[in-house]
Amino acid sequence: MNAMHQHLLDASRAARLGDPPPPAPGTHDLAVLRAVRDRRRFERVLAGRPARGGLRAALRRAGLFGAGLLGTGRSVPSRSVPSHAAPSRTAPAPCRRPAD
């Protein structure tokens, strides 16, 4: 039985008993995620750690942030492009028709 089946079962039981129907599955998901985020920030402050940036710092330590995978690429070192690489994305040369 999935969440929708359970919701339908609970809704029919509530209708039979005259109670208000339960909220649909997923109705309060964002509120729960925000509450979890706020609680974790609060616990970080109580522990004396910065309240923000913990995930980015962990990803940076793992080498996953800033390398173009998850970040904006600001910390990517510049590299020389090999001659066999695809051409850069500049405007194409104008197309000229042969003279008639």
Side-chain angles (χ1 to χ4, degrees), residues 39-52 54:
R39 179 66 185 189
R40 293 183 77 193
R41 283 183 182 170
F42 178 68
E43 289 173 355
R44 288 180 66 86
V45 168
L46 289 180
R49 297 189 308 260
R52 299 186 64 165

Side-chain angles (χ1 to χ4, degrees), residues 4 6 17 22 24 53 55 62 64 73 78 80 83 86 97:
M4 189 52 113
Q6 184 65 45
L17 297 175
L55 179 63
L64 296 174
S78 62
S80 62
S83 61
R97 292 185 179 190

